[in-house]
Amino acid sequence: MTKAESTLKIVAFSGSPRPGGNTEILMKEALRPLAEAGHGITVYPLNTLNIRPCQDCGNCTKTGVCVLRDDMTGIFTAIRAADRIILASPIYFYSLSAQAKAMVDRCQSFWCERYLLKRPIPAGPRGRKGLLLLVGGRRKENAAHCAEVTAKAFFRTISVPEHETLSYGGVDGRGDVEKHPTALRDAYEAGKRLVL
Ligand SMILES: Cc1cc2nc3c(=O)[nH]c(=O)nc-3n(C[C@H](O)[C@H](O)[C@H](O)COP(=O)(O)O)c2cc1C
């Protein structure tokens, strides 16, 4: 196998608006072993991008293509080419952040391509795997449930058949995740497992 063939394309979405926040810290830690191994990494800080919410115009039901022209155009291409996809988000009102949800909703065009037009995105030669990273301030048992269900639908829609989830509650202040006894190590190990 050549170097180019063994190098994975990793696409990582951060749904937090808070620079240096818990989502960003956790995602960086998951990406660290992948960067160390020389894989190709593209990070999308969703809060800084121009992503309009889905307009339900219906065009993608016939073509599988979104007609809106904004930063999702590049993201669609990146998702198609990705071997591994990381979605990281803070929990907002029991769900993904609006920044993450807007990106996920725009993947309705992939949903149409897959389920209406019966043309799912093919997995690459190394398969496709996902990692979901969630942080929330509350410690409640079900605090991340809605986000997890949404993320699972997102991953299946973009032909990611399996993903791992790391979810941490009680993490509220900027950087609090660094005080968690296992979170950073868990994220690093999960990053390593993405390649296996
Ligand atoms: C608008 C908003 C809504 C939130 N809703 C929840 C919630 O429903 N459940 C929860 O556990 N934490 C909630 N939080 C707290 C954040 O999830 C928490 O502070 C998290 O660590 C932020 O991650 P970040 O540092 O990556 O931005 C909310 C925070 C904001 C700003």
Side-chain angles (χ1 to χ4, degrees):
M1 201 184 278
T2 65
K3 170 107 179 65
E5 281 166 344
S6 63
T7 300
L8 293 175
K9 291 191 190 78
I10 319 273
V11 170
F13 299 104
S14 168
S16 169
R18 187 154 67 164
N22 299 311
T23 307
E24 199 178 291
I25 291 168
L26 205 55
M27 198 174 81
K28 272 192 184 153
E29 205 51 25
L31 288 171
R32 202 155 60 84
L34 300 164
E36 286 164 359
H39 295 293
I41 297 170
T42 310
V43 174
Y44 290 97
L46 296 171
N47 190 55
T48 67
L49 303 181
N50 173 28
I51 298 177
R52 283 184 71 196
C54 173
Q55 301 296 299
D56 193 13
C57 64
N59 281 286
C60 65
T61 60
K62 294 170 220 118
T63 62
V65 177
C66 182
V67 295
L68 298 180
R69 288 289 162 263
D70 58 17
D71 287 331
M72 275 308 290
T73 308
I75 289 178
F76 289 136
T77 306
I79 286 178
R80 270 181 207 288
D83 300 300
R84 303 290 184 264
I85 296 183
I86 299 176
L87 176 61
S89 176
I91 300 294
Y92 280 3
F93 281 82
Y94 285 83
S95 192
L96 296 176
S97 69
Q99 291 85 341
K101 186 60 163 49
M103 184 279 292
V104 166
D105 283 357
R106 288 286 297 283
C107 289
Q108 177 68 0
S109 56
F110 285 131
W111 190 94
C112 294
E113 204 177 342
R114 180 182 182 87
Y115 295 107
L116 301 181
L117 306 175
K118 312 289 183 209
R119 292 191 322 245
I121 314 172
R126 307 278 303 269
R128 303 184 110 211
K129 275 200 220 174
L131 176 61
L132 174 64
L133 302 173
L134 299 170
V135 286
R138 303 196 64 184
R139 288 181 200 279
K140 277 188 79 167
E141 179 93 358
N142 64 351
H145 177 70
C146 295
E148 285 181 33
V149 174
T150 303
K152 184 174 178 183
F154 165 66
F155 280 131
R156 298 309 177 266
T157 294
I158 59 168
S159 296
V160 175
E162 55 173 304
H163 72 273
E164 189 175 341
T165 301
L166 297 183
S167 175
Y168 300 97
V171 169
D172 209 7
R174 191 195 304 255
D176 271 359
V177 75
E178 289 177 332
K179 297 181 214 144
H180 189 280
T182 65
L184 297 193
R185 194 166 6 118
D186 297 345
Y188 186 83
E189 293 301 323
K192 282 207 288 192
R193 280 193 295 277
L194 262 186
V195 177
L196 301 178

